[in-house]
Amino acid sequence: MTISIALTKGRLENETIKILERVGYGIDELKDKGRKLVFKDTKKDLKYFLVKAADSITYVEHGVADIGVVGKDTLLESDKGYFEVLDLNLGKCKFIVASLPEVNLFEKIGHVKIGTKYPKVAKEYFKKRGMDVEIIKIEGSVELAPILGLCDGIVDIMETGTTLKENGLIVLDDICNISARVIVNKASFKMKGKEIREFLSNIKKGIS
Ligand code: PRP
């Protein structure tokens, strides 16, 4: 039975491919792929495709992909219609709350506005802190929003911290650590259990 694997394009892509290579799943096409999106490993009966993180979850939830590799940041925004089975220990970064130094949004009296690409994570964080904030969804370059006065602070991912620093923002709190995870379609886990377990146990050997 062929196992279909949805890989996340972009930041996680190369690191994921390196793990696959380390454990003998490398296929040359994946390294020199041009604009191609689907790759077959006929010897191992595997099929890979490259998609955006959130779409990887959608493909897995609908059973079009048996397995997906997705960042925990994207998983935390989703509704968990899958099994999360493995931490790949790559793509490591963290969720943070940040603002301009002169704005301490935890002490601000009155309406607090938070800009973020991650409304669910932000909402849950401030709910836990007992703060009722307005969440403003932003699609990218979130650091710009407090500078232009759209919001008081942001909830975003930080990897090196360079983007925050270069835009004069400071971290007010860490929310949680993030890394790439492997997710599996619930039905596939039953129907193709043997093949999936074998794939996962091989992948585990490649995690550093
Ligand atoms: C992410 C995140 C920050 C930046 C953090 O954005 O939203 O902006 O990376 O990385 P750093 O701590 O290493 O500077 P991304 O580059 O994914 O894209 P975006 O700006 O379109 O949101």
Side-chain angles (χ1 to χ4, degrees):
M1 266 190 282
T2 306
I3 302 289
S4 298
I5 303 153
L7 302 176
T8 296
K9 282 200 279 193
R11 285 179 184 232
L12 299 180
E13 189 178 322
N14 290 342
E15 293 297 313
T16 309
I17 291 170
K18 272 187 209 157
I19 290 191
L20 290 169
E21 278 178 348
R22 279 207 285 274
V23 294
Y25 286 117
I27 53 171
D28 292 340
E29 260 191 325
L30 263 175
K31 278 192 289 184
D32 187 19
K33 60 181 182 346
R35 297 289 293 167
K36 210 174 161 186
L37 297 169
V38 183
F39 309 90
K40 284 183 186 154
D41 182 345
T42 39
K43 277 189 207 149
K44 296 209 161 60
D45 213 2
L46 297 171
K47 185 169 82 180
Y48 299 96
F49 44 89
L50 285 166
V51 288
K52 283 198 160 194
D55 294 339
S56 178
I57 299 175
T58 306
Y59 280 110
V60 169
E61 283 180 334
H62 286 263
V64 174
D66 301 300
I67 293 173
V69 175
V70 197
K72 183 70 178 175
D73 54 330
T74 312
L75 294 178
L76 285 170
E77 281 295 305
S78 74
D79 286 329
K80 296 208 170 78
Y82 48 79
F83 293 133
E84 185 184 322
V85 293
L86 196 60
D87 184 346
L88 290 180
N89 203 31
L90 59 87
K92 290 204 267 187
C93 48
K94 59 186 173 182
F95 268 123
I96 49 89
V97 184
S99 73
L100 289 167
E102 60 272 24
V103 182
N104 189 344
L105 54 92
F106 297 124
E107 280 162 19
K108 188 179 171 193
I109 295 166
H111 196 62
V112 173
K113 290 187 277 186
I114 301 297
T116 188
K117 282 190 275 188
Y118 302 92
K120 193 174 167 192
V121 171
K123 209 171 166 182
E124 279 170 18
Y125 170 82
F126 283 101
K127 196 176 164 201
K128 271 191 201 149
R129 286 194 71 121
M131 285 175 72
D132 186 20
V133 303
E134 179 188 350
I135 306 288
I136 302 176
K137 174 86 196 288
I138 292 170
E139 296 298 333
S141 303
V142 180
E143 293 82 359
L144 197 58
I147 297 169
L148 299 184
L150 180 67
C151 54
D152 302 294
I154 59 171
V155 165
D156 199 16
I157 53 175
M158 179 180 97
E159 190 181 356
T160 60
T162 311
T163 316
L164 288 178
K165 202 172 164 206
E166 290 193 0
N167 290 289
L169 301 176
I170 56 161
V171 175
L172 298 177
D173 197 12
D174 289 351
I175 301 181
C176 65
N177 290 324
I178 296 163
S179 56
R181 308 294 162 96
V182 177
I183 60 168
V184 178
N185 172 268
K186 288 180 174 173
S188 302
F189 217 50
K190 285 188 191 144
M191 314 266 288
K192 303 180 182 177
K194 186 174 161 283
E195 292 88 343
I196 290 174
R197 266 189 283 274
E198 188 188 327
F199 178 77
L200 293 174
S201 82
N202 285 330
I203 292 295
K204 267 186 203 164
K205 292 174 201 153
I207 301 172
S208 46

